[in-house]
Amino acid sequence: MWRTRRTRRITVGQEQWTTVDEYFSAQLIGEDEVLSAALAAADRAGLPQIAVAPNQGKLLHLLARTAGAKRILEIGTLGGYSTIWLGRALPADGRLISLEIDPRHAEVARQNLELAGLGKQAEVRLGRAADTLAALDAEGVEPFDFYFIDADKVSNPDYVVWAIEHAHPGTLIVVDNVVRGGAVADADSTDPSVLGTRRLHDELAASDRVTATSVQTVGTKGYDGFTLIRVER
């Protein structure tokens, strides 16, 4: 006779999420002077403290390495913390382009990339993403192997459409901050970021070029999540 397993609901909050993140980061990542210096430089410059957590940065790194990425495009640089994680995934002949709208953020990121030894492989382009993407088009840019999109959420559908158009079978696209504290499930939301995120998922659901999933996360950065997209054709 089968017995139904009953589970006890455990309620935890931000403090516990942070403690668990810190445990995993200590066990599997450890202290990294370059990354710590990048965060410190961003703090000194007054940048918002919204960089990905260490374990999330390591996840991006592992995904890019697993994809064998030689060409990476990041939309939303901030202080270059995630850029360093991605840049470290590149082979010696790889290249990373990161797009940033804020001049102060771009300056901090460039300095951090130089200190990380990635100044020759990683380039930060300044301007509105719509403009810098158009410039890449004009250059006849080759398809990218990996994308990390962490910029204004209203434009996420446009960024992903561009990424799919400049991809090849097997290209991976990661879109951050898609859960919006759970608000993404609210069909009546009027929040522009939520509306942009929902439109993104509508387009993914209707596309025959990609397969995708979205994952909720909790941790140092609170309650959120990301969408992982693989271009199939």
Side-chain angles (χ1 to χ4, degrees):
M1 180 177 177
W2 294 101
R3 302 179 65 181
T4 302
R5 178 179 295 178
R6 300 180 64 184
T7 57
R8 179 169 59 95
R9 178 172 294 179
I10 301 174
T11 302
V12 297
Q14 181 67 56
E15 183 177 353
Q16 184 68 21
W17 300 342
T18 299
T19 299
V20 172
D21 261 7
E22 290 173 348
Y23 167 75
F24 285 135
S25 294
Q27 289 289 91
L28 302 177
I29 300 172
E31 182 62 30
D32 187 304
E33 293 183 0
V34 170
L35 290 169
S36 295
L39 291 176
D43 288 344
R44 288 195 300 273
L47 272 59
Q49 296 182 340
I50 55 173
V52 299
N55 53 346
Q56 295 168 343
K58 184 70 173 288
L59 174 62
L60 292 172
H61 174 86
L62 292 174
L63 287 171
R65 286 184 61 189
T66 301
K70 295 181 67 174
R71 294 176 51 77
I72 297 175
L73 181 68
E74 177 182 51
I75 303 178
T77 316
L78 194 60
Y81 183 79
S82 57
T83 322
I84 294 172
W85 274 113
L86 290 169
R88 288 176 170 180
L90 290 169
D93 60 345
R95 184 187 182 198
L96 185 155
I97 299 174
S98 188
L99 311 182
E100 175 56 49
I101 193 172
D102 190 302
R104 181 180 52 175
H105 297 182
E107 179 183 358
V108 172
R110 288 171 180 146
Q111 293 172 356
N112 283 335
L113 289 167
E114 285 290 342
L115 291 174
L118 293 168
K120 294 183 179 180
Q121 283 185 292
E123 172 191 1
V124 179
R125 296 197 177 190
L126 180 63
R128 292 175 60 250
D131 297 331
T132 45
L133 291 174
L136 287 171
D137 260 334
E139 295 171 14
V141 68
E142 297 178 17
F144 289 91
D145 308 309
F146 191 93
Y147 290 86
F148 179 47
I149 299 174
D150 189 11
D152 64 297
K153 313 311 171 186
V154 175
S155 301
N156 272 347
D158 303 321
Y159 299 151
V160 170
V161 167
W162 193 97
I164 294 170
E165 291 175 351
H166 298 77
H168 56 76
T171 290
L172 292 183
I173 305 168
V174 178
V175 185
D176 203 10
N177 306 129
V178 301
V179 172
R180 316 304 305 161
V184 69
D186 181 4
D188 297 321
S189 176
T190 58
D191 183 327
S193 294
V194 173
L195 294 175
T197 303
R198 288 179 64 88
R199 184 161 66 90
L200 165 64
H201 287 84
D202 288 341
E203 294 191 7
L204 292 175
S207 174
D208 62 357
R209 288 199 58 192
V210 303
T211 184
T213 190
S214 295
V215 177
Q216 300 180 80
T217 61
V218 296
T220 302
K221 300 300 178 177
Y223 171 41
D224 211 326
F226 63 91
T227 295
L228 176 63
I229 305 158
R230 185 181 191 274
V231 177
E232 298 293 328
R233 66 178 185 83

mmCIF file of all heavy atoms in Angstrom, residues 28 116-117 122 146 191 217 227 233:
data_model
loop_
_atom_site.group_PDB
_atom_site.id
_atom_site.type_symbol
_atom_site.label_atom_id
_atom_site.label_comp_id
_atom_site.label_asym_id
_atom_site.label_seq_id
_atom_site.Cartn_x
_atom_site.Cartn_y
_atom_site.Cartn_z
ATOM 1 N N LEU A 28 31.874 26.665 -2.507
ATOM 2 C CA LEU A 28 32.081 26.368 -3.926
ATOM 3 C C LEU A 28 32.762 27.482 -4.718
ATOM 4 O O LEU A 28 33.158 27.258 -5.865
ATOM 5 C CB LEU A 28 30.736 26.042 -4.585
ATOM 6 C CG LEU A 28 29.972 24.873 -3.950
ATOM 7 C CD1 LEU A 28 28.617 24.691 -4.636
ATOM 8 C CD2 LEU A 28 30.784 23.588 -4.025
ATOM 9 N N ALA A 116 41.006 43.005 -13.874
ATOM 10 C CA ALA A 116 40.752 41.557 -13.950
ATOM 11 C C ALA A 116 41.540 40.889 -15.076
ATOM 12 O O ALA A 116 41.449 39.673 -15.247
ATOM 13 C CB ALA A 116 39.255 41.305 -14.148
ATOM 14 N N GLY A 117 42.292 41.670 -15.829
ATOM 15 C CA GLY A 117 43.069 41.120 -16.928
ATOM 16 C C GLY A 117 42.245 40.823 -18.161
ATOM 17 O O GLY A 117 42.652 40.035 -19.015
ATOM 18 N N ALA A 122 37.323 42.027 -23.355
ATOM 19 C CA ALA A 122 35.998 42.550 -23.021
ATOM 20 C C ALA A 122 35.923 44.038 -23.333
ATOM 21 O O ALA A 122 36.774 44.815 -22.911
ATOM 22 C CB ALA A 122 35.680 42.302 -21.548
ATOM 23 N N PHE A 146 26.378 33.357 -26.616
ATOM 24 C CA PHE A 146 25.793 33.476 -25.276
ATOM 25 C C PHE A 146 25.408 34.927 -25.039
ATOM 26 O O PHE A 146 26.154 35.846 -25.385
ATOM 27 C CB PHE A 146 26.802 33.038 -24.213
ATOM 28 C CG PHE A 146 26.227 32.881 -22.824
ATOM 29 C CD1 PHE A 146 25.770 31.646 -22.394
ATOM 30 C CD2 PHE A 146 26.150 33.959 -21.958
ATOM 31 C CE1 PHE A 146 25.237 31.497 -21.112
ATOM 32 C CE2 PHE A 146 25.618 33.820 -20.683
ATOM 33 C CZ PHE A 146 25.160 32.586 -20.263
ATOM 34 N N ASP A 191 2.494 47.669 -13.818
ATOM 35 C CA ASP A 191 3.921 47.981 -13.703
ATOM 36 C C ASP A 191 4.585 47.745 -15.062
ATOM 37 O O ASP A 191 4.528 46.638 -15.602
ATOM 38 C CB ASP A 191 4.552 47.076 -12.636
ATOM 39 C CG ASP A 191 6.015 47.376 -12.395
ATOM 40 O OD1 ASP A 191 6.725 47.768 -13.345
ATOM 41 O OD2 ASP A 191 6.467 47.191 -11.254
ATOM 42 N N THR A 217 14.153 32.131 -7.959
ATOM 43 C CA THR A 217 15.296 32.025 -7.060
ATOM 44 C C THR A 217 15.042 32.852 -5.805
ATOM 45 O O THR A 217 14.317 33.846 -5.833
ATOM 46 C CB THR A 217 16.592 32.535 -7.723
ATOM 47 O OG1 THR A 217 16.429 33.926 -8.066
ATOM 48 C CG2 THR A 217 16.921 31.738 -8.977
ATOM 49 N N THR A 227 15.157 33.669 -16.779
ATOM 50 C CA THR A 227 14.678 32.854 -17.890
ATOM 51 C C THR A 227 15.868 32.394 -18.702
ATOM 52 O O THR A 227 16.751 33.198 -19.037
ATOM 53 C CB THR A 227 13.703 33.649 -18.778
ATOM 54 O OG1 THR A 227 12.531 33.952 -18.010
ATOM 55 C CG2 THR A 227 13.288 32.844 -20.005
ATOM 56 N N ARG A 233 16.880 26.947 -33.866
ATOM 57 C CA ARG A 233 17.121 27.074 -35.303
ATOM 58 C C ARG A 233 17.138 28.548 -35.725
ATOM 59 O O ARG A 233 16.802 29.411 -34.955
ATOM 60 C CB ARG A 233 16.052 26.324 -36.089
ATOM 61 C CG ARG A 233 14.644 26.886 -35.964
ATOM 62 C CD ARG A 233 13.666 26.102 -36.814
ATOM 63 N NE ARG A 233 12.337 26.697 -36.799
ATOM 64 C CZ ARG A 233 11.956 27.710 -37.572
ATOM 65 N NH1 ARG A 233 12.828 28.242 -38.423
ATOM 66 N NH2 ARG A 233 10.742 28.212 -37.497
#
